[in-house]
Amino acid sequence: MTHEIKEMMRRPFRYFYEDGIAEIAVGGLFLALGLSLLAVEAAQSKYALVIVVAIGIPLLTVGGGIFLKKAVGGLKEHVTYPRTGYVSYKSKEPSRGRWLISGAAIVFTVVLMLIPERFSQISIAEGGMLFIILSYIGYRIGMNRFYLIGAIAALIGLAAAFLTTGDILGSAATFGGTGIVMIISGVMALRIYLRKNRRPNESLR
Amino acid sequence: MNENLRSIVDVDRIIHEPSRLVIVAILYTVESTDFLYLLKETGLTKGNLSSHLSRLEEAGYINIEKTFKGKVTRTICSLAERGREAFDEYRLKLEAVIDC
């Protein structure tokens, strides 16, 4: 019976990802990051690189994160909550998951140092980290598609290391590719969600 | 009556009811949810869910608040501190019974 209780307690966390909206949003952010790096590579200018790295990427990640939080919340208010209900989550407390991910990152870095320098280590590292983070999310909420997306991200990182020239192009391919995969996965999840959950009458609430 | 049987008999009857157990387990992990989410997750009828929520509120285990989102009313449920303690105690008793 305790297993069933634990499963019930995991379900609200899985609910956040059921509609695919967060996935589409994060995928969009990764794609934007990949395109920014691609633009830098295309410009072939060290000034463009400095601007993107020093200003663009921090703006994209911090500002993008804030924008995404509001956008995801707004979309859920219109799409998800009227169909399947509202959930407010507690502010995150430090969990052992963060230690797990940090530990995995350290081990990964050590392994990476053994890879010959002619391969783009950065895209392998990025793909690997995305695999660790996405797999951890999949494990925590019990959603198998995150393992698959993580595995694809790792493969993209690996492929980018062998097929591209230079770290910037490799990173652009890794983030851009993973972003596209996440958007596709999120859209599919949203389609399934909308098909399964019609908007109920207002009186139900 | 031996100690193990006493643990089963003494379990919190308010939480022990299966539908209320699901409700409390869900509320334990989140800040709050609304009536519609609980309806979907429990699979209960509206009347049944309302009845269980009232019982939990009477016991002081949950808080219920009616708010407005635009023109739509939203019934928000959250676990009270007393409910949190009751659920923790219930889980410990249950684990003790199962482990023996």
Side-chain angles (χ1 to χ4, degrees), chain A residues 111-133:
Chain A
V111 168
L112 216 56
M113 283 160 67
L114 302 171
I115 295 174
E117 276 187 20
R118 66 174 179 278
F119 299 119
S120 170
Q121 295 173 326
I122 288 185
S123 55
I124 296 176
E126 287 160 351
M129 281 311 301
L130 286 169
F131 170 73
I132 290 168
I133 292 166

Side-chain angles (χ1 to χ4, degrees), chain A residues 3 11 17-18 31 54 60 80 86 108 110 116-117 133 142 149 158 165-166 181 183 195 203:
Chain A
H3 170 75
R11 283 188 58 78
Y17 297 97
E18 262 174 25
L31 184 59
L60 199 57
T80 313
Y86 165 83
F108 199 78
V110 169
E117 276 187 20
I133 292 166
I149 298 170
L158 208 58
T165 52
V181 169
I183 289 170
R195 214 176 294 150
S203 59

Side-chain angles (χ1 to χ4, degrees), chain A residues 11 77 86 88 90 205, chain B residues 28 31-32 34 41 74:
Chain A
R11 283 188 58 78
E77 278 288 349
Y86 165 83
S88 166
K90 295 180 189 174
R205 306 173 68 206
Chain B
Y28 188 86
E31 182 73 35
S32 60
D34 73 351
E41 286 297 302
R74 185 180 267 173

